[in-house]
Amino acid sequence: MAQINDNFIKIPATYLFSEIAKRVAQHKEENPTAPIIRMGIGDVSLPLPDASVDAMIVAANEQRSAETFRGYGPEQGYAFLREAIVENDFKSKGIAIESDEIFVSDGAKSDTGNIGDIFDVSNRVAITDPSYPVYVDTNAMGGRAGEPTASGAWTNLVYLPCNAENNFVPALPTEKVDLVYLCYPNNPTGTTLTKKQLAVWVEYAKANNAIILFDAAYEAFITEENVPHSIYEIDGAKDVAIEFRSFSKTAGFTGTRCGYTVVPKQLLGTSSTGEKVQINKLWNRRQTTKFNGTSYIVQRAAEATYSAEGKKQVKALLDFYKENARIICEGLIKAGYTVFGGVNAPYVWAKAPAGLGSWDYFDYLLKEKNIVTTPGAGFGASGEGYVRFSAFGSRENTIEAMKRLEK
Ligand code: MLT
């Protein structure tokens, strides 16, 4: 009998968003005409930018002829996209990143999950709490999390609580850690760190030989000046940080799938014998072995988001969701909620009425208001007592949901 990786039986039986989908499907089955409004998983509702669709059509037509047909592409991504990323996301903002530090992928979920492959099981991992469940679950799968406790917390992970009391700014760990997951603008709370606050983490990583895994999937939603779009805006961050980016929320690629990871060449790790090793080389080795690249057609679609037309269309998408987030904040406040986030992020983090747990309140909103949210407790213990509203729905549904809550 083949023996399985036991870590898979230690993790919760279903992934958070699969559990929510299951509960929503059951509610729908029991109430087939229920006018359900989905504000749960951050899945976009507006179509792709025309520029991306046009680029995909051209790229698809290229596949008809032997002269322009593409087979296997570079595992790291085509030069046309890596160079467009360097130019538009970094160089234009005064950040020096080279194209061989960019690894194009099918999205930040895969990369933030897969990055653990190149780090030893002995690393001490710090994760903000609440957090995107992929960080905890994949460390548990990889054996770095230890054992789950009754509260759902894992014995070997170092949790960094982010709550209203500390203004959602994680305190530095009191014990030495080797890897730190930071996601800013934050999923799920929608809160941010200022440049000064992020610089504290870069300093910490330098002083402790730690690596920061910085998930910047929501940077395009930033509206405030002093909020960094990239960790590389902070001096010295290229020595200590990997950054994850995504076209999913920025340009509507949740179904099309494209993202990228930045692994600076100067970022080093240590082998068991004390030798310094370039992390960029290890990630390249991992990707070339386990990944055959994002499809050419999709990479052309991603490249098109950087064209003049593409930029205008992406801005229109972002403006639409930002306005939804504003409507949600305003509606929830009017309905008496305490809310956080929503200003630099497409997520609004709302306190459940006193005494109600996240899942209870999630069930109440689903059954009584036909509104799907995400229970805060699903993102970690510090999320208990909160629910997350996503701003990615239609305008009509967003307004209607707020009306239902006001009642
Ligand atoms: C979320 O709702 O947190 C995200 O959409 C999930 C994801 O990006 O995988």
Side-chain angles (χ1 to χ4, degrees):
M1 178 83 76
Q3 192 173 328
I4 56 134
N5 173 351
D6 269 359
N7 294 318
F8 276 72
I9 39 179
K10 293 184 199 165
I11 56 174
T14 30
Y15 180 58
L16 172 65
F17 291 105
S18 315
E19 173 62 30
I20 293 168
K22 213 167 81 187
R23 292 192 189 205
V24 175
Q26 189 186 337
H27 177 64
K28 185 87 192 152
E29 202 180 303
E30 290 162 7
N31 307 276
T33 58
I36 295 176
I37 296 179
R38 291 172 196 272
M39 305 177 90
I41 192 166
D43 194 4
V44 295
S45 56
L46 293 177
L48 285 176
D50 276 340
S52 293
V53 177
D54 292 343
M56 283 200 281
I57 291 168
V58 172
N61 276 323
E62 285 173 22
Q63 309 315 305
R64 294 181 199 278
S65 130
E67 286 72 50
T68 49
F69 164 79
R70 305 280 178 139
Y72 291 126
E75 295 93 340
Q76 305 82 354
Y78 282 98
F80 62 77
L81 180 55
R82 297 170 95 193
E83 278 156 22
I85 288 168
V86 164
E87 198 56 45
N88 291 280
D89 289 349
F90 297 102
K91 204 165 162 199
S92 67
K93 302 191 168 89
I95 302 169
I97 294 288
E98 289 171 31
S99 63
D100 56 358
E101 296 177 310
I102 304 285
F103 293 84
V104 176
S105 72
D106 68 339
K109 180 180 187 177
S110 317
D111 286 355
T112 53
N114 292 331
I115 197 78
D117 277 11
I118 61 170
F119 293 108
D120 189 64
V121 70
S122 64
N123 281 296
R124 197 82 168 138
V125 179
I127 298 185
T128 51
D129 175 24
S131 73
Y132 182 37
V134 169
Y135 315 150
V136 171
D137 288 2
T138 57
N139 274 289
M141 289 171 181
R144 265 183 298 272
E147 300 298 320
T149 61
S151 70
W154 292 79
T155 52
N156 285 357
L157 293 181
V158 175
Y159 291 94
L160 308 168
C162 297
N163 47 42
E165 286 68 50
N166 62 14
N167 219 5
F168 299 92
V169 178
L172 293 174
T174 48
E175 60 190 287
K176 188 182 163 343
V177 299
D178 309 296
L179 296 170
V180 183
Y181 287 80
L182 295 178
C183 171
Y184 288 97
N186 186 253
N187 180 15
T189 64
T191 57
T192 51
L193 293 185
T194 61
K195 286 186 188 163
K196 219 166 139 193
Q197 288 164 338
L198 186 55
V200 169
W201 282 96
V202 170
E203 279 310 308
Y204 172 88
K206 275 195 173 167
N208 291 279
N209 282 324
I211 290 184
I212 298 174
L213 303 170
F214 191 73
D215 186 348
Y218 298 94
E219 63 76 31
F221 293 85
I222 292 172
T223 58
E224 291 179 327
E225 269 300 308
N226 62 347
V227 179
H229 287 253
S230 165
I231 194 165
Y232 305 120
E233 287 177 40
I234 312 296
D235 278 347
K238 279 170 72 181
D239 294 326
V240 294
I242 294 174
E243 181 164 297
F244 304 93
R245 294 277 192 111
S246 170
F247 292 91
S248 287
K249 322 292 160 135
T250 311
F253 277 54
T254 52
T256 306
R257 309 302 312 148
C258 195
Y260 66 88
T261 289
V262 187
V263 189
K265 283 178 282 191
Q266 65 210 65
L267 177 66
L268 303 176
T270 315
S271 75
S272 60
T273 54
E275 187 194 342
K276 296 280 180 209
V277 180
Q278 255 190 333
I279 299 289
N280 179 292
K281 278 200 183 140
L282 297 190
W283 186 242
N284 189 55
R285 186 70 180 82
R286 191 265 171 213
Q287 290 298 80
T288 50
T289 303
K290 291 196 178 180
F291 184 58
N292 254 339
T294 305
S295 90
Y296 169 72
I297 295 171
V298 167
Q299 291 192 58
R300 280 294 185 202
E303 179 197 25
T305 64
Y306 297 115
S307 66
E309 273 311 297
K311 281 182 185 167
K312 260 195 254 161
Q313 292 159 7
V314 165
K315 182 176 181 309
L317 294 180
L318 292 169
D319 286 348
F320 182 89
Y321 296 132
K322 285 180 192 170
E323 176 60 9
N324 277 355
R326 194 198 59 74
I327 292 169
I328 295 169
C329 286
E330 192 182 81
L332 291 177
I333 290 167
K334 214 162 134 195
Y337 287 78
T338 304
V339 301
F340 303 93
V343 176
N344 297 296
Y347 298 127
V348 181
W349 192 238
K351 190 109 192 71
L356 270 190
S358 292
W359 280 103
D360 293 337
Y361 197 50
F362 165 86
D363 282 333
Y364 166 82
L365 289 173
L366 177 62
K367 290 182 182 151
E368 303 301 324
K369 303 283 183 183
N370 285 305
I371 298 173
V372 183
T373 55
T374 308
F379 296 103
S382 298
E384 183 52 275
Y386 288 88
V387 289
R388 189 193 76 175
F389 288 81
S390 145
F392 287 115
S394 69
R395 181 61 44 78
E396 193 190 346
N397 281 349
T398 303
I399 293 171
E400 169 59 21
M402 292 306 109
K403 277 196 195 140
R404 287 187 200 170
L405 289 176
E406 225 184 292
K407 286 181 203 150

